[in-house]
Amino acid sequence: MNQPAGKPSLRDAIKDASMQKQKDMMAGHFDRLTSSHETGAKVCSTFVPGNLNELIMCFDMVNNLPEVNAIQSGLRGKSGAYVMEAERNGHSEDVCTYVKSDIGMMARGNIGPNGKEMPKPDMLLLSYTGCFTFLKWFELLREQYKCPTVFLQTPYMADGKITPNMIQYMVKQLKEDVIPTMEKVSGVKFDIDRLRENLRQSAKAEDDLVYILQSAKNKPSPIDAYFGGIYYIGPIFGAFRGTQDAIDYYRFLREEVDERLKLGLGPVTPEGPMEEEKYRLVVEGPPNYTHFRQFWKMFYEEGATVVASSYTKVGGTYDFGFRHDPDRPLETLAEYCLNVYTNRSLPMRIDMLVNYINEYEADGLLVNSIKSCNSFSAGQLMIMREVEKRTGKPAAFIETDLVDPRYFSAANVKNRLESYLQMVEQKRSGASKGVAA
Amino acid sequence: MTTPTTTEIVARCQDLFEDLHFTAARKWKEAEEGRKVIGYMPVYVPREIIHAAGMLPLGIMGGGDNLEVIHGDAYYQSYICRIPRSTVELGVTGRLDFVDGMLFPSICDVIRNLSGMWKMMFPHVYSKYFDVPQTYEDEVGGTFYIGEMREFMHDLEELSGKKITDEALRHSVDVYNENRRLVRELYALRAELPWQAPASEAYLVIRAGLVLPVEEHTILLRQYIDAARAETRPIKDNSRIVLTGLFCEQPPLNLIKSLELAGCYVVDDDFMLVSRWLIGDVPLEGDPIENLSKAFLHSSESTAAKYEPNQDEKGQFLVRAVKRTGAEGVIFAAPSFCDPALLDRPMLQNVLKAANIPFIAFKYAENSGQMQPIREQAGTFADSIKLWSAA
Ligand code: SF4
Ligand code: SF4
């Protein structure tokens, strides 16, 4: 997830009004974080998957997401040096580069995207959802910050279902561990009605988010659900879910999308509006952030629009009906965490992607495999083969990294994308000649 | 009955280790109608429950360096560790075709995702992702874990068509307690007299316990310990080291031998933690599942795959292991691309630095062939430790 805000090289890029609005929101958030020592606001660090923003806000704390900071470092061209700094300090070249970017950034003064020093967290909410690395990441941060750290384990949805045992476990952790720690750190008493109100707000924005993402079912799609989608999920996966700001943003975005739909327009990309939608793709896996604009441009130049992506579900999967439910405040937080994309079993992930290809009438699946992310990557070759088998649509593989520029080979990515699109063409001409797929 | 010599015992264990068709487990299954075998991957599952269901728990630790991986590589990118691909290889080549169920413990995202792949590859075989708590209060993590264990019991009851009684569970706990006592005794013997029970032998003897019925393995352990004590072997001027980070993908046996040849006595390690995950005896009185849960939560081994809730305790298990065994240094050996081991390593190293314990680190793969660099690195380390301690 991401908010590609504040990237200098994007200044000359084309943006629609919603992007500008999003950028302003994110800038405001970073200012809240970096001024917390003046305002006295307490800072709670947590992760995008399993981000309990509604609960954090109940304690007047500001939400800090280290993945978002790593993304910002990637977009601003700083992550390469940070990763290497961490490796010099003993971190392995094999592990998640988000962690190393974060650790390297700390080692170099912890300067945020607004040029000011990021605050020390007052607590770490180790929301262990969908990724093993989180566990080690916050052990590493705790070693540095020595601040209260509370664990919230989300059981893995291995059998494709949520059992009562899972929910009870999570609710108990919330009641016995998470909420008492937050009360202690913030000095604010927990008020369940405040939580309900935040959850009610979340659901409103979630409705609009789903509408926006599903607008890609239209032809042409008015949005790009991967590159553009990353902007769209920023507020809701970050520090804005449960706020009026998020409701306003998604309403505004929805109107913008409606307008494009009415005019039959495609998405706006940094290179300009997408003129002709030649290909409709589903993408699995996170993007590369060190060459984000270049990466997007390759798709733009080919006339390829991403109509659905799994990455826009890492901070919550809403398109199959889940909404935060104010009537079951703690249970709904548990269900939210359980439902994030990387907490879903491999068969569930495959079902989702197959469903996207069918429902969004896509030409096929493209996997961006991230070298240092086992959570996403382990099993992607099987995902690819299964999706191909079940949809009859071609699937292909590209390899990059999230924030380590050493693993982005533009020529290689471009080659693979081009040959994949040729495969799509062949499949199409075969199909139009009545040749069985 | 004559007592076998260490050479005979180790030769038998070596045969079991090299047998990637798991003949011993197949024979056990064939010996009686209706017997079932449940495979499990690292790092820990409560084998007592499988035993109480009348089934054989079978540890699958990957394919090692004897297995040619042909199909497995098609399932994984180059930047993922070896154990999932060799395990897939074992599966698709029919080597596990007699296995009635597979357990994938929650150790990392690779094994987690493999659990779903297995379901798709072998849809007619029972398979389960075995989730364990990472929070350690009885009321919270314990209740969850008890729920998960009961669900697992229920699955096994369906598989066998027989109820698992508390009595059977207590008996199994008793049998495994005894096995663990002997594993601990072997570790203590090795720490005390490492030349009598070298790591490469102890490894094979313990590894045999992953494929044999526990009762048989307990006898084998007893025999080995007695024989190892009785023999007289030459004492070498080796350095004592603790080996850590090898809890999942196993190193080639040659790697352990190379360390020994390089002048190291491995006096503690974290291979095959399942054999000694629970520290001390699990009580026999009371509810056996609750007892297993309490043992898991409050007295089990520390490893990178587990959350350490207390910052002051982080890595102390390693310092304690060094003190307990009289070790002079620590070797971090981790499988390439192993997130848990590699992400944990800098924190453990900081703890060792603070405690003034020397260490080195390297990576391996289960099929690493070239041992020369490791031997050189370990040799230099062993020599320098001696210099430090002499200084
Ligand atoms: S391993 Fe993947 S999912 Fe986990 S923190 Fe890193 S990038 Fe995110
Ligand atoms: S070797 Fe490490 S990364 Fe690989 S499966 Fe085992 S624990 Fe996971």
Side-chain angles (χ1 to χ4, degrees):
Chain A
M1 78 128 290
N2 157 45
Q3 306 76 28
K7 187 194 176 202
S9 67
L10 278 179
R11 253 180 227 139
D12 54 345
I14 311 287
K15 286 194 193 76
D16 39 21
S18 66
M19 275 188 198
Q20 190 54 50
K21 191 172 168 69
Q22 195 257 26
K23 188 182 150 162
D24 295 343
M25 286 166 82
M26 294 317 301
H29 177 63
F30 276 106
D31 287 342
R32 259 198 306 282
L33 277 170
T34 52
S35 64
S36 61
H37 61 284
E38 290 154 20
T39 60
K42 301 274 192 226
V43 174
C44 172
S45 288
T46 192
F47 294 106
V48 169
N51 166 16
L52 302 184
N53 197 49
E54 299 87 348
L55 189 66
I56 293 170
M57 290 195 303
C58 288
F59 300 93
D60 299 324
M61 288 197 273
V62 194
N63 185 340
N64 181 30
L65 299 155
E67 299 113 305
V68 175
N69 302 341
I71 291 168
Q72 289 295 338
S73 302
L75 290 164
R76 291 179 300 122
K78 307 239 185 227
S79 56
Y82 293 161
V83 167
M84 287 203 294
E85 175 82 30
E87 288 178 4
R88 266 197 299 279
N89 292 329
H91 288 265
S92 164
E93 64 268 32
D94 290 354
V95 301
C96 172
T97 50
Y98 268 2
V99 178
K100 286 184 286 187
S101 174
D102 191 33
I103 302 260
M105 175 166 127
M106 273 162 63
R108 289 191 169 199
N110 219 11
I111 304 301
N114 58 3
K116 296 181 187 151
E117 191 180 340
M118 292 292 282
K120 289 197 173 79
D122 294 286
M123 70 171 284
L124 302 170
L125 167 56
L126 204 175
S127 203
Y128 176 60
T129 305
C131 171
F132 179 85
T133 297
F134 293 162
L135 197 158
K136 295 290 128 187
W137 192 343
F138 271 13
E139 279 190 349
L140 283 158
L141 292 197
R142 183 185 62 186
E143 187 190 36
Q144 302 262 337
Y145 291 124
K146 310 228 167 8
C147 61
T149 303
V150 67
F151 200 90
L152 173 66
Q153 178 177 6
T154 301
Y156 184 53
M157 245 214 274
D159 295 326
K161 58 175 198 273
I162 295 175
T163 64
N165 195 37
M166 293 174 177
I167 299 279
Q168 281 155 17
Y169 179 37
M170 294 197 69
V171 168
K172 266 200 191 146
Q173 292 177 79
L174 289 169
K175 279 191 186 155
E176 315 241 329
D177 302 335
V178 178
I179 292 173
T181 309
M182 289 179 149
E183 283 184 325
K184 212 150 109 201
V185 170
S186 66
V188 176
K189 187 122 193 59
F190 176 57
D191 173 0
I192 199 154
D193 290 325
R194 195 168 164 193
L195 176 62
R196 285 182 212 275
E197 188 45 39
N198 293 345
L199 293 165
R200 200 166 286 123
Q201 305 255 70
S202 293
K204 282 187 200 154
E206 285 157 1
D207 279 340
D208 281 339
L209 171 77
V210 171
Y211 177 89
I212 291 152
L213 292 177
Q214 293 189 343
S215 72
K217 289 183 184 175
N218 291 283
K219 287 184 183 172
S221 166
I223 63 161
D224 183 286
Y226 187 51
F227 299 105
I230 283 159
Y231 289 86
Y232 304 154
I233 57 176
I236 204 150
F237 286 4
F240 291 90
R241 207 181 59 232
T243 65
Q244 186 61 41
D245 277 349
I247 299 175
D248 294 346
Y249 167 73
Y250 287 101
R251 185 39 57 116
F252 183 74
L253 181 58
R254 180 176 177 151
E255 282 161 12
E256 199 177 83
V257 166
D258 274 337
E259 184 64 18
R260 286 211 288 272
L261 268 178
K262 205 165 75 201
L263 301 171
L265 296 175
V268 177
T269 83
E271 313 305 320
M274 182 76 105
E275 297 301 343
E276 190 196 345
E277 179 186 279
K278 291 196 202 134
Y279 305 102
R280 298 170 61 82
L281 304 181
V282 171
V283 173
E284 146 73 18
N288 162 275
Y289 284 111
T290 56
H291 300 73
F292 187 78
R293 183 166 169 187
Q294 193 182 358
F295 197 20
W296 192 351
K297 189 173 174 210
M298 292 180 195
F299 285 67
Y300 166 79
E301 284 171 346
E302 299 287 346
T305 299
V306 181
V307 289
S309 67
S310 54
Y311 188 59
T312 49
K313 317 297 172 336
V314 283
T317 306
Y318 298 104
D319 43 357
F320 304 118
F322 170 80
R323 296 289 180 277
H324 280 95
D325 178 0
D327 295 332
R328 303 163 51 250
L330 298 182
E331 290 79 1
T332 207
L333 290 176
E335 281 164 13
Y336 155 73
C337 292
L338 282 154
N339 268 303
V340 306
Y341 179 71
T342 43
N343 198 51
R344 292 169 164 247
S345 70
L346 222 75
M348 291 177 89
R349 282 170 61 184
I350 291 172
D351 286 346
M352 252 172 99
L353 294 166
V354 166
N355 169 290
Y356 286 159
I357 291 193
N358 295 334
E359 295 234 321
Y360 289 73
E361 297 182 55
D363 294 301
L365 174 73
L366 193 66
V367 176
N368 184 31
S369 180
I370 296 298
K371 182 198 152 278
S372 62
C373 174
N374 281 342
S375 177
F376 264 99
S377 302
Q380 277 175 331
L381 289 170
M382 185 160 191
I383 290 182
M384 195 172 91
R385 283 198 293 272
E386 279 292 311
V387 170
E388 219 167 14
K389 198 164 85 193
R390 282 167 55 183
T391 61
K393 299 280 169 64
F397 213 69
I398 46 181
E399 291 175 343
T400 68
D401 192 73
L402 280 156
V403 292
D404 190 338
R406 290 173 295 184
Y407 298 104
F408 188 87
S409 156
N412 201 301
V413 173
K414 199 166 165 45
N415 259 334
R416 295 230 194 161
L417 181 64
E418 282 170 3
S419 36
Y420 172 61
L421 295 174
Q422 277 170 19
M423 254 158 73
V424 170
E425 282 297 346
Q426 279 162 15
K427 198 93 182 172
R428 276 183 188 166
S429 55
S432 66
K433 286 185 207 129
V435 178
Chain B
M1 194 178 94
T2 55
T3 319
T5 62
T6 51
T7 316
E8 286 162 348
I9 298 169
V10 171
R12 177 170 174 230
C13 295
Q14 174 107 25
D15 287 346
L16 289 167
F17 169 70
E18 284 169 5
D19 178 10
L20 292 173
H21 287 275
F22 306 98
T23 315
R26 284 176 191 269
K27 280 202 183 132
W28 177 88
K29 182 170 167 162
E30 285 158 11
E32 238 175 72
E33 183 72 25
R35 279 187 167 177
K36 299 224 178 323
V37 176
I38 304 292
Y40 62 88
M41 292 199 69
V43 67
Y44 170 77
V45 294
R47 296 184 292 180
E48 292 83 347
I49 297 177
I50 305 170
H51 184 265
M55 301 178 187
L56 178 73
L58 176 71
I60 308 289
M61 303 281 119
D65 54 351
N66 282 326
L67 180 74
E68 196 188 349
V69 174
I70 298 163
H71 310 275
D73 281 339
Y75 289 81
Y76 288 101
Q77 299 91 312
S78 56
Y79 38 81
I80 288 169
C81 58
R82 297 293 309 173
I83 184 171
R85 59 188 90 218
S86 61
T87 304
V88 164
E89 187 76 23
L90 291 174
V92 297
T93 53
R95 287 169 166 98
L96 300 176
D97 57 4
F98 67 106
V99 172
D100 303 281
M102 269 296 270
L103 299 179
F104 300 88
S106 69
I107 169 169
C108 75
D109 296 332
V110 174
I111 293 204
R112 184 196 74 173
N113 290 4
L114 178 59
S115 74
M117 292 168 67
W118 208 266
K119 276 191 205 301
M120 291 190 294
M121 282 189 282
F122 307 102
H124 305 300
V125 178
Y126 169 72
S127 76
K128 183 176 171 65
Y129 173 75
F130 193 78
D131 218 347
V132 294
Q134 296 277 6
T135 67
Y136 307 109
E137 296 130 46
D138 288 310
E139 264 309 294
V140 188
T143 309
F144 169 69
Y145 188 40
I146 289 170
E148 291 298 294
M149 281 194 281
R150 293 211 189 280
E151 194 186 298
F152 175 48
M153 264 168 68
H154 179 77
D155 291 351
L156 293 187
E157 287 171 348
E158 292 219 315
L159 262 181
S160 69
K162 278 190 297 246
K163 231 125 179 81
I164 301 173
T165 63
D166 276 2
E167 208 189 322
L169 274 169
R170 270 187 213 111
H171 170 69
S172 302
V173 168
D174 195 18
V175 167
Y176 274 96
N177 275 344
E178 194 189 351
N179 188 267
R180 277 188 290 266
R181 275 197 294 270
L182 284 166
V183 171
R184 284 198 299 273
E185 196 180 321
L186 174 53
Y187 267 70
L189 168 66
R190 191 183 54 171
E192 189 196 345
L193 311 166
W195 50 91
Q196 294 291 89
S200 50
E201 287 188 7
Y203 179 83
L204 288 170
V205 172
I206 296 197
R207 179 101 185 223
L210 304 193
V211 297
L212 290 177
V214 58
E215 296 83 356
E216 210 178 310
H217 184 241
T218 298
I219 296 172
L220 191 143
L221 277 167
R222 180 79 274 157
Q223 289 175 334
Y224 178 78
I225 293 169
D226 291 345
R229 274 193 190 283
E231 269 175 33
T232 318
R233 290 183 170 187
I235 304 176
K236 290 191 195 125
D237 185 24
N238 280 5
S239 299
R240 290 163 169 263
I241 61 103
V242 170
L243 191 56
T244 189
L246 314 86
F247 47 86
C248 182
E249 181 174 315
Q250 296 295 289
L253 188 60
N254 253 339
L255 189 150
I256 308 172
K257 288 184 177 164
S258 297
L259 294 179
E260 290 176 331
L261 285 172
C264 298
Y265 279 137
V266 179
V267 288
D268 201 1
D269 60 63
D270 58 358
F271 309 130
M272 302 167 290
L273 281 176
V274 66
S275 319
R276 54 207 181 91
W277 184 265
L278 304 182
I279 301 163
D281 283 356
V282 179
L284 299 176
E285 311 75 45
D287 184 310
I289 293 294
E290 264 177 40
N291 290 341
L292 282 171
S293 168
K294 284 199 159 61
F296 181 92
L297 298 179
H298 310 303
S299 56
S300 56
E301 287 288 342
S302 295
T303 178
K306 233 168 117 177
Y307 176 60
E308 172 51 68
N310 179 357
Q311 176 58 32
D312 294 337
E313 262 300 300
K314 182 75 202 171
Q316 291 305 324
F317 75 94
L318 213 45
V319 177
R320 282 195 286 268
V322 167
K323 296 215 168 106
R324 187 179 60 237
T325 58
E328 297 147 291
V330 171
I331 295 185
F332 289 89
S336 293
F337 307 107
C338 176
D339 279 350
L342 293 169
L343 285 161
D344 216 34
R345 202 174 63 186
M347 290 181 275
L348 299 182
Q349 291 181 342
N350 286 342
V351 170
L352 293 186
K353 271 182 219 153
N356 252 327
I357 299 169
F359 58 84
I360 54 163
F362 56 76
K363 292 190 288 183
Y364 65 86
E366 63 178 10
N367 62 343
S368 295
Q370 182 52 269
M371 288 300 152
Q372 193 56 27
I374 287 177
R375 199 182 297 179
E376 277 167 18
Q377 207 184 341
T380 314
F381 184 57
D383 291 345
S384 64
I385 286 177
K386 265 182 242 143
L387 283 177
W388 281 327
S389 46

